Amino acid sequence: MGLRDKAGAAADKAAGAAKDKIGAATDKPDLQAEGQAQNAVGHARQSGHDIEDTAREIVDDE
């Protein structure tokens, strides 16, 4: 996982978490849902790349 990918995933997670909290605090369910979705995208991006990196390590070791 490259630095740009890591930064993008972290940005999605952070922005999503912020939107979620702001949406909850201001009683704006649309913003809260948008934040939850963006946070999930960040986690999925990170997980996908973690799996890809692990697979490459396994292949390289063989």
Side-chain angles (χ1 to χ4, degrees):
M1 180 178 209
L3 185 58
R4 179 177 282 173
D5 292 330
K6 287 181 183 179
D12 277 335
K13 291 190 315 185
K19 288 179 185 178
D20 182 12
K21 289 181 192 250
I22 292 169
T26 59
D27 196 30
K28 295 185 178 178
D30 288 347
L31 182 60
Q32 188 175 7
E34 181 181 334
Q36 291 170 348
Q38 188 172 2
N39 192 348
V41 167
H43 281 281
R45 287 176 61 190
Q46 181 180 1
S47 295
H49 287 290
D50 289 347
I51 292 168
E52 181 180 337
D53 290 345
T54 301
R56 287 184 186 183
E57 289 173 13
I58 291 169
V59 169
D60 289 343
D61 287 344
E62 291 181 357

